[in-house]
Amino acid sequence: MSESILNALMHLFAIVATIREEGPTEHGIRIIRSYLLQHLKEEIADEYLKLFEDFLDFYKRDKEYQISGEIPDTSVYDSQYLAKVCNQIKKDLHKNDRIIVLLRLIELVVEDKKLIDHEREFIRLVAETFDISKNELDNALIFIGRGKKEELNPDNILLIGPTDESTLEELEGDWIDKNRPETISQLKKIPRNELDGEVIILHFSSIDLFIFKYSGNDPLTLDGHPVINNKFYIFEAGSILRCEKIAPVYYNDIASHFLRSDSDIKIILSGENIEFRFKSSTSGIHKFSFSEESGQLIGIMGGSGVGKSTLLNLLSGQLVPLGGKVTINDYNVNQDRFKLKNVIGFVPQEDLLFEELTVFQNLYYNARLCFGDFSKERILQIVNKTLTDLVLLDIKDLKVGDPIKKFISGGERKRLNIGLELMREPSLLFVDEPTSGLSSTDSWKIIRLLKEQTVKGKLVIVNIHQPSSDVFKMLDKLWILDKGGYPVYAGNPIDGIIYFKKLSKFADASEGECSNCGYVNPEQILDIIEARKIDVHGKYSQERKIKPEEWYDKYKKEIESGIELKPAKKILPRNLFKIPDIDKQFFIFFRRNLLTKLTNTQYLLINLLEVPLLAIILSYFIKFAEGNTYIFSENKNLPTYMFMSVIVAIFIGLVVSAEEIIKDKKILKRESFLNLSRFSYLNSKILYLFGLSALQTFILVFTGNLILEIKGMTFVFWLIMFSTACFANLVGLNISSSLNSVVSIYILIPLILIPQLLLSGVPVRFDDLNKSLTNRIYVPVIGDMMTSRWAYEALAVELFKNNRFEKNFYNYDQAISESNYKTSFLIPRLLNVAEECQR
């Protein structure tokens, strides 16, 4: 029990003890001490008892002052003063803790089996101040105060015990209103016919808290501690009720009866002998069968490299099993992938976030892609609700940043990453290593967030590594894999510890957790599985005591043999998820991509300043002049300028596009579950790159032409350069899509650029190339394939043909040139042919 709860209880216990006219009795103090000893060690219990006595002295003095009339307005009987005290106490209490404090307060007050008016009024005031509803307060008073059980709402009650007709009629007689026979069928039950007695569960729906009482003759234990008749206990996540005569009752058995699903359709995930092998490897997953339904948090545990992620990919349909099949409500995850797009959510281990965008923007654009029919106002409501649920509202305007240059913490990144999937409410959620690299506190918050999804009727499956005791207890079911992909356990987490202890013949095999503090050591399971033999020198050898194949055989015999596939209806739950039309997707992708660039200051500076600097360097250094005065027509470096401008256009076009797709690959993997339009995504990239290239090439042409005094050719030069850069953009997108690493891309760029230089016909004439490439009559085919050749030729022709001087004489010069050709070549050739004919 937390310190804040204990402090609040001591405070309130003191007020209750003071309210009674006879004051606190020795019996009352013994009750408080006994209560403290149930939860604390003796020395700590004595400390809190001393704290209680200090509070008691304070309120006794206050009462004496009130009686003497010295302080008439601050009496412990004054409701305003009591409300002020309760308001001060509740500041440090979470909603869960507030209800627990109220329950313990009621337990203390009714310990003497009487409830005076002042005490009832005080409890009502505490509940009101703690924002606890009247319905939940009344239920607690009836349940703990031994009130009339029929006054409780059957929707909040669950019975564990015999379900034969005579016994059930007797039990229901206590709980069901005879005038409302329709409520009999609504009563929630967990049958345990062998139990001599009954367990009654009360559910507090506002915080999903369960408390229970037991009345019967059979000894019952909660997490190894004896359960006392007619005393209430809190049934926490991971807790187990045991009795030798009945099967254990797990937390999920109880919670599943109170799921708050928006759909009546359950999710049944089943696998029949699924197996998988990687090519040229023995690694993979050996035959594994299971059948699980919604409302559970299932953890997959095992050492490094045992196949946890492989199993998750198989279950989510990203890998195709070599044998067997995985089904969701009888739909095959591989063959019916399109039909299951609304059902499956997948959160990879990597944080798939747009690091340049804020937390809010990441969620907003994701929502735009998930809810195509929603208005902007509705989408904003969903985003704000998600921010609130994920406790990210305070940082919504912070940029996400990368893992090195952080703006938000690792735990906040994980919650945001999970929130991108939770936003669209998938019924089946797969999460790969959600706690990797996080502190124990952040890990607990993440798993708590996932656990809350199961209460809403979802099935959540996570890969988890080295969970803490608290995290381990929140799991409803545990799957364990051994080296080589061998399944070795499937069942309750605490039972898993007992299972492996018994197989390894531990002396304390029946204990899954510490009997005093409830601590669980999950790593003990892996220690047992991977235990190694001791050699003759007393050192651990490399040989294991029990090989993976042996654990697998035991699993097949003792666990998998008892698994039965749950019947499933071939029907899927509906949700609000609907992707937009391809034109809307295009604009969403474009705006998101543009925003990531505009918020990246370094990216903008490099792309906008690099081009004018290159243009200045290129044009200034080749601005040749014979004398002191620059004459454009005498600059013999102009061909070099045009050719180098073409190469610069190709270079910048490649550089800006080479990373566009590869940096989004992980995000595209997540969005593949949404079946978004690849066509819209690529077109959004192309539009952005063409727009950027248009701006860059204009700056290049304008700056270079201004320095070299090339007049009247700006638009034509820009159009040629822009077309060249667009070609480079498309090449860059292709290599970005094809390769797997940024390093490979930038190694490949010179391989694309150098042929454009060498085979353009400028540095080396086509006639001077290797004889295998040219016949000295036609331009070689490889030269025709070079964009640089056509771009340079276009620049040269345009500059010569359409400059402001030559365009006045070009038609005449062309006629003269044609006449000279006919005079010099054609007429002599015709004369020779005629002479040959005469001969």
Side-chain angles (χ1 to χ4, degrees):
M1 190 178 298
S2 68
E3 183 179 357
S4 58
I5 293 179
L6 285 168
N7 284 333
L9 281 172
M10 295 305 102
H11 211 137
L12 295 175
F13 286 176
I15 295 177
V16 170
T18 311
I19 285 176
R20 295 190 171 182
E21 294 180 1
E22 65 271 18
T25 63
E26 290 296 327
H27 177 65
I29 293 176
R30 282 199 302 271
I31 291 174
I32 295 171
R33 190 172 190 279
S34 174
Y35 169 76
L36 290 171
L37 287 173
Q38 293 176 22
H39 302 277
L40 304 169
K41 293 180 180 180
E42 186 173 357
E43 58 271 18
I44 301 177
D46 289 338
E47 290 180 11
Y48 278 98
L49 189 62
K50 177 66 167 63
L51 179 64
F52 163 75
E53 291 172 350
D54 291 341
F55 282 135
L56 191 60
D57 289 341
F58 171 78
Y59 288 117
K60 283 174 65 178
R61 288 196 301 271
D62 188 34
K63 184 177 181 180
E64 291 171 0
Y65 291 152
Q66 188 270 336
I67 292 171
S68 65
E70 297 181 35
I71 310 179
D73 297 326
T74 57
S75 153
V76 291
Y77 294 107
D78 188 275
S79 60
Q80 292 182 355
Y81 179 65
L82 290 175
K84 181 179 178 182
V85 172
C86 293
N87 274 313
Q88 194 67 30
I89 292 171
K90 79 171 186 178
K91 290 180 181 178
D92 298 325
L93 294 177
H94 187 268
K95 178 67 178 290
N96 296 31
D97 295 338
R98 292 177 189 178
I99 289 185
I100 293 172
V101 167
L102 180 68
L103 294 174
R104 296 302 181 191
L105 184 62
I106 295 173
E107 180 186 34
L108 176 72
V109 169
V110 302
E111 190 71 31
D112 58 357
K113 300 181 181 180
K114 65 178 182 178
L115 188 65
I116 62 176
D117 291 339
H118 285 313
E119 291 171 341
R120 185 182 295 275
E121 177 62 23
F122 176 62
I123 289 173
R124 186 201 61 76
L125 181 62
V126 171
E128 186 178 308
T129 310
F130 283 3
D131 301 318
I132 298 170
S133 68
K134 183 179 183 300
N135 179 54
E136 291 188 333
L137 172 62
D138 291 342
N139 282 342
L141 284 169
I142 295 168
F143 194 84
I144 301 173
R146 302 178 179 90
K148 295 180 180 180
K149 295 184 287 186
E150 61 269 17
E151 295 178 9
L152 288 170
N153 187 345
D155 293 336
N156 299 108
I157 295 299
L158 181 143
L159 297 180
I160 303 172
T163 56
D164 57 88
E165 292 185 6
S166 59
T167 311
L168 187 59
E169 184 179 351
E170 180 183 346
L171 294 179
E172 289 178 347
D174 291 336
W175 289 95
I176 301 301
D177 187 349
K178 297 290 186 180
N179 297 321
R180 296 175 58 205
E182 73 277 3
T183 59
I184 295 178
S185 61
Q186 298 175 2
L187 190 65
K188 303 174 181 67
K189 316 174 192 74
I190 297 178
R192 291 295 186 269
N193 290 323
E194 297 82 5
L195 183 66
D196 184 11
E198 63 173 338
V199 177
I200 304 163
I201 307 285
L202 175 64
H203 178 226
F204 291 87
S205 57
S206 64
I207 61 170
D208 286 308
L209 176 73
F210 300 97
I211 64 174
F212 75 92
K213 288 197 304 186
Y214 170 61
S215 58
N217 300 317
D218 291 330
L220 196 67
T221 61
L222 174 66
D223 300 331
H225 299 280
V227 174
I228 301 171
N229 272 356
N230 296 315
K231 180 177 176 58
F232 94 89
Y233 295 86
I234 297 173
F235 204 102
E236 299 177 333
S239 293
I240 307 173
L241 271 177
R242 297 182 188 274
C243 179
E244 292 183 358
K245 295 170 61 176
I246 64 171
V249 179
Y250 302 109
Y251 177 84
N252 185 63
D253 296 333
I254 295 170
S256 61
H257 286 79
F258 296 93
L259 296 179
R260 297 196 306 268
S261 177
D262 295 331
S263 172
D264 294 332
I265 302 169
K266 280 189 175 182
I267 288 292
I268 304 293
L269 175 69
S270 299
E272 299 181 50
N273 293 319
I274 60 169
E275 60 178 330
F276 181 81
R277 288 287 179 281
F278 291 103
K279 291 181 180 179
S280 304
S281 173
T282 58
S283 299
I285 300 295
H286 288 266
K287 286 186 178 180
F288 180 43
S289 297
F290 58 88
S291 187
E292 305 295 348
E293 65 180 7
S294 51
Q296 296 185 91
L297 175 60
I298 300 175
I300 305 176
M301 267 185 66
S304 300
V306 299
K308 298 190 297 294
S309 295
T310 302
L311 178 57
L312 215 60
N313 290 331
L314 278 172
L315 301 182
S316 59
Q318 298 179 68
L319 292 176
V320 180
L322 296 181
K325 64 178 181 178
V326 180
T327 60
I328 299 173
N329 285 14
D330 216 23
Y331 285 92
N332 190 296
V333 296
N334 300 111
Q335 298 173 4
D336 302 315
R337 184 175 179 82
F338 182 76
K339 295 178 182 178
L340 296 170
K341 65 179 181 179
N342 299 352
V343 177
I344 299 176
F346 188 87
V347 182
Q349 183 177 354
E350 303 88 357
D351 295 334
L352 306 184
L353 307 171
F354 289 94
E355 296 169 351
E356 298 85 4
L357 301 182
T358 65
V359 171
F360 174 84
Q361 289 167 340
N362 269 275
L363 290 171
Y364 175 75
Y365 285 104
N366 184 71
R368 290 283 302 274
L369 291 171
C370 292
F371 306 106
D373 293 341
F374 285 10
S375 64
K376 184 177 180 180
E377 292 73 19
R378 181 78 183 276
I379 287 176
L380 288 174
Q381 288 177 358
I382 293 174
V383 172
N384 288 324
K385 180 181 182 301
T386 305
L387 287 167
T388 303
D389 293 343
L390 297 175
V391 198
L392 296 173
L393 198 59
D394 292 340
I395 60 164
K396 69 172 186 175
D397 296 323
L398 289 182
K399 188 185 292 188
V400 170
D402 57 50
I404 297 175
K405 189 177 180 181
K406 293 182 179 180
F407 293 94
I408 62 177
S409 70
E412 290 165 341
R413 289 176 67 90
K414 286 288 183 183
R415 293 205 299 276
L416 175 58
N417 199 34
I418 294 172
L420 294 174
E421 283 297 295
L422 293 184
M423 176 182 286
R424 62 186 182 90
E425 298 287 340
S427 301
L428 176 56
L429 181 64
F430 298 99
V431 190
D432 194 0
E433 295 282 3
T435 60
S436 178
L438 299 182
S439 66
S440 58
T441 302
D442 285 332
S443 298
W444 183 86
K445 289 179 180 178
I446 293 295
I447 298 299
R448 181 67 185 175
L449 173 66
L450 297 174
K451 182 67 176 177
E452 289 172 358
Q453 304 309 308
T454 65
V455 178
K456 299 176 183 178
K458 296 178 174 54
L459 176 60
V460 182
I461 301 179
V462 301
N463 281 349
I464 196 160
H465 187 61
Q466 293 182 333
S468 65
S469 175
D470 291 336
V471 167
F472 190 72
K473 284 184 175 183
M474 275 194 278
L475 300 176
D476 297 308
K477 193 158 285 188
L478 183 66
W479 294 347
I480 300 178
L481 298 178
D482 200 359
K483 289 188 181 298
Y486 289 97
V488 295
Y489 180 76
N492 180 266
I494 305 298
D495 283 351
I497 297 176
I498 297 172
Y499 170 80
F500 286 104
K501 279 185 172 184
K502 285 182 177 179
L503 290 180
S504 300
K505 298 180 180 178
F506 274 53
D508 58 344
S510 61
E511 294 183 7
E513 56 185 317
C514 175
S515 58
N516 293 323
C517 62
Y519 176 78
V520 177
N521 182 15
E523 292 185 17
Q524 192 175 17
I525 295 177
L526 299 183
D527 291 340
I528 294 172
I529 292 173
E530 299 176 359
R532 301 191 177 275
K533 292 182 178 179
I534 298 175
D535 61 21
V536 294
H537 303 292
K539 296 181 179 179
Y540 288 108
S541 66
Q542 294 300 311
E543 185 179 358
R544 283 174 45 163
K545 289 181 179 179
I546 302 178
K547 295 180 180 179
E549 296 87 347
E550 297 176 56
W551 284 121
Y552 182 57
D553 290 339
K554 293 178 180 179
Y555 162 78
K556 297 283 284 186
K557 292 176 184 177
E558 300 190 22
I559 297 177
E560 190 172 275
S561 59
I563 293 176
E564 295 181 1
L565 294 180
K566 294 180 173 64
K569 296 180 180 178
K570 200 164 187 177
I571 188 169
L572 296 172
R574 295 182 179 180
N575 58 22
L576 300 174
F577 170 74
K578 183 180 179 181
I579 60 173
D581 299 331
I582 58 172
D583 55 338
K584 290 184 179 179
Q585 289 184 46
F586 167 76
F587 287 112
I588 294 168
F589 283 133
F590 178 76
R591 288 185 61 186
R592 184 178 70 179
N593 187 55
L594 183 62
L595 196 59
T596 60
K597 303 300 189 294
L598 293 177
T599 54
N600 190 336
T601 307
Q602 188 178 35
Y603 175 89
L604 283 176
L605 289 175
I606 290 175
N607 279 286
L608 295 180
L609 295 180
E610 178 186 34
V611 176
L613 286 174
L614 286 173
I616 291 170
I617 293 170
L618 185 61
S619 56
Y620 180 79
F621 281 100
I622 66 172
K623 189 175 182 180
F624 172 78
E626 290 284 356
N628 294 329
T629 304
Y630 171 74
I631 300 174
F632 170 73
S633 60
E634 294 179 357
N635 188 350
K636 57 185 179 181
N637 293 328
L638 282 176
T640 304
Y641 164 73
M642 290 188 292
F643 178 67
M644 290 305 299
S645 295
V646 169
I647 299 303
V648 168
I650 294 175
F651 173 73
I652 60 176
L654 280 172
V655 168
V656 298
S657 61
E659 286 189 44
E660 281 299 308
I661 294 179
I662 194 170
K663 71 178 182 180
D664 290 349
K665 271 194 173 180
K666 293 176 182 177
I667 294 172
L668 290 174
K669 180 181 179 182
R670 177 176 61 80
E671 291 183 343
S672 67
F673 284 92
L674 309 180
N675 291 304
L676 298 173
S677 169
R678 184 79 169 179
F679 178 76
S680 297
Y681 171 79
L682 289 174
N683 280 339
S684 71
K685 291 288 185 183
I686 291 171
L687 178 62
Y688 162 73
L689 290 171
F690 280 12
L692 179 61
S693 294
L695 178 62
Q696 288 179 317
T697 50
F698 175 79
I699 295 172
L700 175 68
V701 170
F702 180 80
T703 306
N705 288 8
L706 183 65
I707 294 174
L708 291 175
E709 300 180 18
I710 302 175
K711 300 177 181 178
M713 306 297 295
T714 300
F715 175 75
V716 176
F717 271 35
W718 169 79
L719 190 60
I720 295 169
M721 294 294 188
F722 171 58
S723 303
T724 305
C726 288
F727 159 78
N729 290 156
L730 296 177
V731 172
L733 286 175
N734 275 283
I735 63 175
S736 180
S737 177
S738 304
L739 300 181
N740 294 322
S741 71
V742 176
V743 175
S744 301
I745 288 173
Y746 285 106
I747 290 175
L748 188 62
I749 285 179
L751 194 62
I752 296 172
L753 203 57
I754 289 174
Q756 295 287 343
L757 277 164
L758 183 63
L759 302 175
S760 62
V762 179
V764 180
R765 296 174 63 233
F766 289 128
D767 290 345
D768 297 335
L769 291 174
N770 190 298
K771 292 182 179 180
S772 63
L773 297 175
T774 181
N775 59 12
R776 296 179 179 273
I777 297 177
Y778 304 107
V779 173
V781 174
I782 196 169
D784 285 337
M785 294 171 62
M786 295 298 109
T787 303
S788 56
R789 175 249 166 135
W790 294 106
Y792 174 70
E793 186 173 317
L795 287 173
V797 169
E798 283 296 324
L799 182 61
F800 174 76
K801 177 182 175 181
N802 292 320
N803 68 74
R804 289 167 62 184
F805 174 79
E806 184 61 29
K807 68 180 179 180
N808 298 309
F809 308 102
Y810 179 77
N811 292 332
Y812 303 106
D813 289 341
Q814 185 180 29
I816 292 171
S817 177
E818 290 175 354
S819 299
N820 287 335
Y821 170 76
K822 293 174 182 178
T823 303
S824 301
F825 298 99
L826 186 58
I827 293 176
R829 177 73 182 273
L830 290 174
L831 290 172
N832 287 335
V833 171
E835 186 179 335
E836 186 68 25
C837 290
Q838 289 177 355
R839 188 181 296 112

